[in-house]
Amino acid sequence: MLQKFDPDLIGQGAAPKRSVFAYVRELFRLRVDKSTSRVGFTALCFATLFSVIGGRLVFLAMTSDTSSEVRRAASLEISAARPDIIDRNGNILATDVKMVSVFAEPRNIIDKDEAVELLTAVLPDLDATDLRNKLGTKKGFVWVKREITPRQQAEVHRLGIPGVGFLPENKRIYPNAEAAAHVLGFANVDNVGIAGIEKYIDNQGLQDLNGAGFAISAADLKPVQLSIDLRVQHALRDELSKGMAKFKAKATAGAIMDVNTGEIIALVSLPDFDPNNPVDALEADRINRINVGVFEMGSTFKALTTAMALDSGKFNINSTLDARSGLRYGKFTIGDYHATHRVLTVPEVFIHSSNIGTARMALGIGVEGHKAFLRKMGQLTRLKTELPENAEPIVPPRWGELNTMTIAFGHGLAVAPLQALMAVGALVNGGVMINPTFLKRDEATARQNALQVLKPETSEALRYVMRLNASNPAGSASAAAIAGFFVGGKTGTAEKVINGRYSKNKNFTTFTAILPADKPKYVFLTIMDEPQAVEGTYGFSTAGWNAGPVTGNIIERVAPMLGVPPRFEPPAQPFPLMSRLGAWGTK
């Protein structure tokens, strides 16, 4: 094959091997036949350069501590979602809304002083010194401000500070403000439950999932349905607030419970707080007095003593007790507030609220029998509900006959009011002890683990004497005997213990009511802390003058909401056994 003659090859046996540099120089000589090669080489160089830069950026994105910390923060935000909390009718009590928070990457902020100046100008509530300290660290991620408004976000964005960005967060809100605050509790800025049902939700495993790194959205979580009725809750709070103002009480609280399911329909403790601004909850006077406070419940405890006596078989509804004079024990004498100075039947002991007669019943049972009964009724141990905040009762360390005598009428044993409410529910629902719940449930579920603690006959007797106490003019519950609702109830007044001694001018008053008394569906509890004698109470500050009428107002307002319409014709045979036995007051 003929080759093209090349003069440069004359005298050479073979072409010399050229270096890369010589090849490149040859390539870029201004020759037309080299144009295509030059373009291809240039393209290759640029492609290589951009590949190196792109690869480096990807590497930095995947290995940067800053990016990973931001991603971890975002992951924590996603997992902090919480389920909605709704009332028994489906109304929202607590929910999440999306908010935006500002974060910074201190390593990427060039002029930290300028960043502090600009950020504090836009977010004036920031502490400049604290922010400067945060930005002065070598951390890859710090929060600048949590939960900012859209306007603030736009202003920060316009600053254009490198190393400052935004992350979406879930913020817990409570659209009904103070309504059911002590039941709901609240969640902190990290959306972690701190108290109430919010903490209960976390204790059921939500925080365990978050800690394990599972990304959970609110849509993945089934709403938590409470037993609370928001309508009744509002009405209860309003009536308690009015009563607190009228009787100039230091505090007040109330609860309504379904006696057949144990559901708490409403619970209020005043003063309360707005869970949207939970800092107020830290004030000492804003505790949940129904669950967390422990108090001597006064004469409302006489219902328990009466039930104990009748259920034991040692007493019956027609038994008589001597209340002609005070009951002496050593140097102590027990007397009656409204002394009758005569022998009383069991119903009379109840409606006259005789300390003497009640103490004699307890003595008839004995110290050990009395303790065993109260333990069975859940009064000597800490009550457990969904709320983490439940107080331990204060039980006398050495319990003798004198303790039994005073505890019989509500002095010397301090319990959480919800414990007492639970016990009264068992007294009137046929004798079944059902643990209270703040979650919606039906009667069949409630009775699965319930205990029969009283005979049904004893339960009818308690319903009878509580109704008698409201219908008889001598009874202390007449202030709550709202026409058409067949109410029964019992008052209680206890002197407060101040510096280890009973105060003669500071009372703690209680009222327990059942509705309707012939076949109770609901039990009501109202407590008032240090109510005062006001115009119309004739100098008295006992329960019949304050807690009683407040409860009556509550019943009149909420009974229709609870599905208990008024009936102006009394039931024909409300207490058939009591009628057959000829109990005092049936004729």
Side-chain angles (χ1 to χ4, degrees):
M1 181 176 180
L2 296 175
Q3 292 182 342
K4 186 176 180 180
F5 175 74
D6 189 341
D8 293 333
L9 296 177
I10 297 175
Q12 299 182 23
K17 195 173 184 179
R18 292 182 294 179
S19 67
V20 173
F21 178 75
Y23 177 81
V24 173
R25 184 176 60 185
E26 177 69 17
L27 181 66
F28 282 92
R29 288 176 64 185
L30 296 176
R31 293 170 55 180
V32 175
D33 61 325
K34 301 293 183 179
S35 297
T36 302
S37 299
R38 284 198 295 269
V39 171
F41 182 77
T42 303
L44 177 64
C45 290
F46 274 104
T48 303
L49 177 63
F50 282 114
S51 296
V52 171
I53 294 172
R56 180 60 178 167
L57 290 174
V58 171
F59 175 79
L60 289 173
M62 295 184 67
T63 61
S64 167
D65 289 339
T66 300
S67 299
S68 64
E69 289 193 48
V70 172
R71 286 199 308 275
R72 282 198 295 271
S75 175
L76 288 173
E77 176 276 321
I78 293 171
S79 66
R82 304 183 65 80
D84 287 347
I85 301 176
I86 59 177
D87 84 335
R88 66 186 302 107
N89 301 312
N91 297 305
I92 293 288
L93 298 176
T95 190
D96 283 353
V97 296
K98 286 294 182 183
M99 299 291 289
V100 170
S101 294
V102 187
F103 73 90
E105 303 166 79
R107 296 178 203 164
N108 294 336
I109 296 179
I110 299 170
D111 190 334
K112 303 183 189 304
D113 291 326
E114 181 188 33
V116 170
E117 184 178 348
L118 292 173
L119 287 169
T120 52
V122 172
L123 305 170
D125 54 338
L126 285 178
D127 185 290
T129 302
D130 180 59
L131 181 58
R132 182 64 183 80
N133 291 336
K134 284 182 179 180
L135 299 185
T137 66
K138 294 183 179 181
K139 293 181 179 180
F141 178 93
V142 295
W143 286 116
V144 174
K145 182 173 174 57
R146 310 288 290 273
E147 300 171 357
I148 62 172
T149 66
R151 180 190 293 272
Q152 290 173 324
Q153 182 184 5
E155 291 174 348
V156 173
H157 181 72
R158 277 196 294 269
L159 296 176
I161 304 172
V164 173
F166 306 97
L167 275 178
E169 287 203 278
N170 290 306
K171 176 180 172 61
R172 198 65 161 171
I173 64 163
Y174 304 89
N176 299 288
E178 296 89 352
H182 285 104
V183 176
L184 295 172
F186 55 89
N188 65 12
V189 70
D190 294 312
N191 236 19
V192 175
I194 300 300
I197 290 294
E198 294 283 26
K199 188 171 183 179
Y200 163 79
I201 291 171
D202 285 354
N203 291 342
Q204 297 306 296
L206 181 62
Q207 283 306 309
D208 292 337
L209 289 174
N210 293 339
F214 287 93
I216 303 171
S217 68
D220 299 325
L221 300 169
K222 182 181 178 181
V224 176
Q225 187 165 34
L226 303 189
S227 57
I228 297 295
D229 187 318
L230 186 59
R231 305 166 305 160
V232 178
Q233 181 75 26
H234 276 299
L236 177 62
R237 186 180 187 277
D238 186 49
E239 292 300 331
L240 287 175
S241 181
K242 291 175 183 175
M244 184 175 169
K246 179 177 180 179
F247 298 105
K248 302 177 182 178
K250 176 182 176 182
T252 185
I256 303 171
M257 185 181 79
D258 186 319
V259 301
N260 297 312
T261 65
E263 294 172 297
I264 303 301
I265 306 300
L267 184 151
V268 174
S269 181
L270 298 177
D272 54 10
F273 62 94
D274 184 347
N276 294 300
N277 185 33
V279 66
D280 294 340
L282 301 177
E283 296 182 21
D285 65 337
R286 297 178 190 266
I287 66 167
N288 177 0
R289 286 172 169 78
I290 298 294
N291 280 68
V292 178
V294 289
F295 308 98
E296 294 183 355
M297 297 298 289
S299 292
T300 54
F301 243 55
K302 289 172 181 172
L304 288 174
T305 307
T306 303
M308 174 183 68
L310 295 176
D311 208 59
S312 70
K314 296 182 179 180
F315 298 84
N316 61 54
I317 197 68
N318 294 314
S319 295
T320 57
L321 298 115
D322 188 356
R324 289 175 293 179
S325 59
L327 179 60
R328 293 189 59 82
Y329 187 91
K331 62 179 181 179
F332 300 98
T333 301
I334 293 173
D336 286 341
Y337 188 70
H338 294 293
T340 58
H341 301 293
R342 62 184 178 84
V343 174
L344 302 173
T345 62
V346 168
E348 288 178 299
V349 167
F350 195 85
I351 68 169
H352 290 292
S353 200
S354 171
N355 295 338
I356 300 169
T358 307
R360 290 191 184 279
M361 288 185 202
L363 286 175
I365 303 302
V367 172
E368 293 306 316
H370 189 202
K371 289 167 67 174
F373 179 81
L374 291 178
R375 186 174 294 108
K376 179 174 69 171
M377 300 302 291
Q379 303 304 294
L380 303 186
T381 55
R382 179 174 174 266
L383 176 64
K384 294 181 180 179
T385 67
E386 292 83 10
L387 300 191
E389 308 85 17
N390 293 288
E392 191 86 23
I394 301 175
V395 181
R398 301 174 66 180
W399 189 324
E401 282 194 338
L402 182 60
N403 300 100
T404 278
M405 293 163 68
T406 59
I407 291 171
F409 53 81
H411 291 263
L413 173 66
V415 301
L418 189 59
Q419 285 182 280
L421 189 67
M422 172 186 70
V424 173
L427 297 186
V428 300
N429 72 358
V432 180
M433 178 63 71
I434 300 174
N435 209 60
T437 182
F438 291 90
L439 302 178
K440 187 176 181 180
R441 70 181 177 196
D442 57 28
E443 186 173 345
T445 303
R447 290 181 177 255
Q448 282 179 355
N449 299 314
L451 297 175
Q452 188 79 35
V453 291
L454 293 174
K455 301 169 187 172
E457 297 82 2
T458 303
S459 182
E460 181 182 322
L462 264 293
R463 296 196 296 270
Y464 170 70
V465 295
M466 291 183 80
R467 171 57 188 169
L468 194 63
N469 195 39
S471 60
N472 190 289
S476 60
S478 57
I482 304 302
F485 290 108
F486 209 68
V487 177
K490 184 71 186 79
T491 55
T493 303
E495 296 173 344
K496 291 186 66 175
V497 178
I498 308 294
N499 298 322
R501 300 179 66 87
Y502 284 106
S503 171
K504 295 295 182 184
N505 56 4
K506 291 184 178 181
N507 290 335
F508 182 84
T509 64
T510 62
F511 191 90
T512 306
I514 57 174
L515 174 75
D518 58 324
K519 192 175 181 181
K521 175 65 174 171
Y522 298 99
V523 58
F524 294 71
L525 174 67
T526 300
I527 61 177
M528 305 201 81
D529 192 352
E530 297 184 24
Q532 306 299 308
V534 297
E535 184 179 356
T537 66
Y538 307 99
F540 295 105
S541 62
T542 49
W545 295 99
N546 44 66
V550 169
T551 307
N553 293 340
I554 293 168
I555 291 172
E556 188 172 27
R557 184 167 172 180
V558 308
M561 298 180 192
L562 295 172
V564 184
R567 49 179 181 176
F568 295 101
E569 291 295 328
Q573 284 288 336
F575 309 106
L577 178 61
M578 297 298 103
S579 297
R580 288 200 305 271
L581 294 176
W584 186 93
T586 55
K587 298 179 182 179

